[in-house]
Amino acid sequence: MYNIHHFSFHKCLTSYYSQIMTNFCKNNDLKYSHFNSDKRLYEKTYSDRTLDVYSLNNNLVTVDKSMRISQFVRDPRDLIVSGYHYHKWTEESWCRDKTKRFTHILNDATYQQYIGSEHNWEEGDSYQDFINKLSPTQGMILEIIWRKGHFDTMQGWDLSLENFIRMRYEDIIDNEEEMFFKLYDHYNLPDKWRGNFLTFVTKFSRKNATLSQKSHTRNGNYNQWVNEFDELTYKVFNQFYSVSLKELGYE
């Protein structure tokens, strides 16, 4: 049994990776599961050692030397833009849950200054309901606040680990075959499966995806933030995450 662990972030090739691994593992009698952001279930499943490949988003976990670990990262500013557009229409249940109250957002000083002073997040409004009532600037500020925990974990990994590889979204896009072959080698998977792996890397790549405003892959380009961040959005972002940009190599 293999012991592969992949970590990424919402809107950072999570669906692409899952499509590849779901099909590749099925074809080669391997066991794979994506746990979304459910750290507790991930840790419970790993403690039972029932899978070959584990995938988890938006979390920092304790690792051991037996793991082969990969992580995808993306410019946090583009994650804000991508998430903002996606959350306006997605059918993900958490985003449409009209009973869920985002207390950590409501209590945030930045929220109160730029959003709460003008808009009341009424009971019965889901995250999606509320973000659709906001201006683009306010919607992206909401995303900045919502993302804080994600970005904190993004910069918490020990890059010196020999069994760890980090890949940037910007290096993968339009270069999927080369970058996923590096990933394949890092996982120490056998050569006999390499061609099958490439089949799914190519099949589900951006060049074969349908791009639209209401699809999981709306655009896919990087540096979208340059055209979508206004002065206030950029100011608020830097108040939260300027350190993240430097540590991740985006400034």
Side-chain angles (χ1 to χ4, degrees):
M1 181 167 281
Y2 292 91
N3 192 17
I4 295 167
H5 297 253
H6 179 69
F7 302 97
S8 192
F9 300 88
H10 184 54
K11 304 305 293 178
C12 186
L13 301 175
T14 53
S15 290
Y16 180 44
Y17 183 92
S18 192
Q19 285 175 312
I20 293 168
M21 277 302 178
T22 296
N23 286 273
F24 171 74
C25 289
K26 182 178 180 180
N27 269 24
N28 295 286
D29 295 323
L30 301 177
K31 295 180 180 179
Y32 163 75
S33 186
H34 176 55
F35 295 89
N36 293 305
S37 299
D38 194 337
K39 182 179 179 180
R40 183 178 298 179
L41 180 58
Y42 160 84
E43 291 177 334
K44 171 63 171 64
T45 306
Y46 180 51
S47 70
D48 295 335
R49 299 296 197 277
T50 55
L51 302 176
D52 296 283
V53 186
Y54 305 76
S55 176
L56 179 70
N57 293 344
N58 311 319
N59 279 281
L60 182 65
V61 304
T62 301
V63 300
D64 62 64
K65 292 183 179 180
S66 70
M67 297 174 171
R68 303 304 298 175
I69 306 165
S70 60
Q71 184 196 47
F72 289 169
V73 297
R74 185 179 181 182
D75 188 326
R77 295 164 294 193
D78 278 339
L79 288 176
I80 295 298
V81 173
S82 182
Y84 165 69
H85 289 286
Y86 179 67
H87 293 149
K88 291 176 72 177
W89 66 267
T90 180
E91 295 184 1
E92 290 187 18
S93 59
W94 73 267
C95 199
R96 293 188 166 202
D97 186 346
K98 294 181 179 295
T99 65
K100 186 175 178 64
R101 299 296 287 167
F102 293 84
T103 307
H104 69 289
I105 296 178
L106 295 171
N107 292 335
D108 184 87
T110 301
Y111 168 84
Q112 293 169 2
Q113 179 179 359
Y114 295 111
I115 302 173
S117 60
E118 185 177 339
H119 296 276
N120 180 34
W121 193 335
E122 298 176 356
E123 287 195 33
D125 273 358
S126 66
Y127 187 95
Q128 185 172 102
D129 292 332
F130 189 58
I131 203 170
N132 275 300
K133 293 179 179 179
L134 304 179
S135 68
T137 296
Q138 291 172 323
M140 289 192 197
I141 290 173
L142 183 68
E143 286 285 311
I144 289 169
I145 301 166
W146 178 74
R147 281 277 195 176
K148 186 177 188 307
H150 299 183
F151 295 149
D152 288 345
T153 65
M154 187 181 288
Q155 59 188 352
W157 289 86
D158 182 358
L159 303 185
S160 68
L161 294 170
E162 292 184 2
N163 58 337
F164 179 91
I165 186 172
R166 169 179 280 176
M167 291 185 170
R168 301 197 327 166
Y169 176 99
E170 295 79 7
D171 298 324
I172 297 171
I173 289 298
D174 298 327
N175 196 27
E176 293 92 342
E177 287 85 357
E178 179 181 345
M179 296 304 290
F180 269 83
F181 264 15
K182 288 182 180 179
L183 199 63
Y184 190 89
D185 289 337
H186 175 72
Y187 290 158
N188 287 335
L189 291 165
D191 284 342
K192 65 180 180 179
W193 294 339
R194 189 180 294 268
N196 184 244
F197 187 71
L198 177 61
T199 297
F200 298 117
V201 170
T202 302
K203 179 178 180 179
F204 299 113
S205 66
R206 186 175 73 145
K207 64 186 177 185
N208 291 320
T210 300
L211 305 182
S212 71
Q213 192 67 24
K214 289 190 175 183
S215 72
H216 196 86
T217 307
R218 176 187 58 87
N219 182 312
N221 292 327
Y222 47 88
N223 289 332
Q224 295 177 47
W225 69 271
V226 173
N227 295 319
E228 300 224 27
F229 270 27
D230 62 13
E231 185 175 348
L232 179 57
T233 308
Y234 193 71
K235 174 186 174 181
V236 172
F237 179 88
N238 282 334
Q239 288 175 347
F240 275 73
Y241 304 124
S242 59
V243 174
S244 296
L245 293 176
K246 293 176 182 177
E247 290 191 1
L248 294 169
Y250 289 106
E251 272 195 354

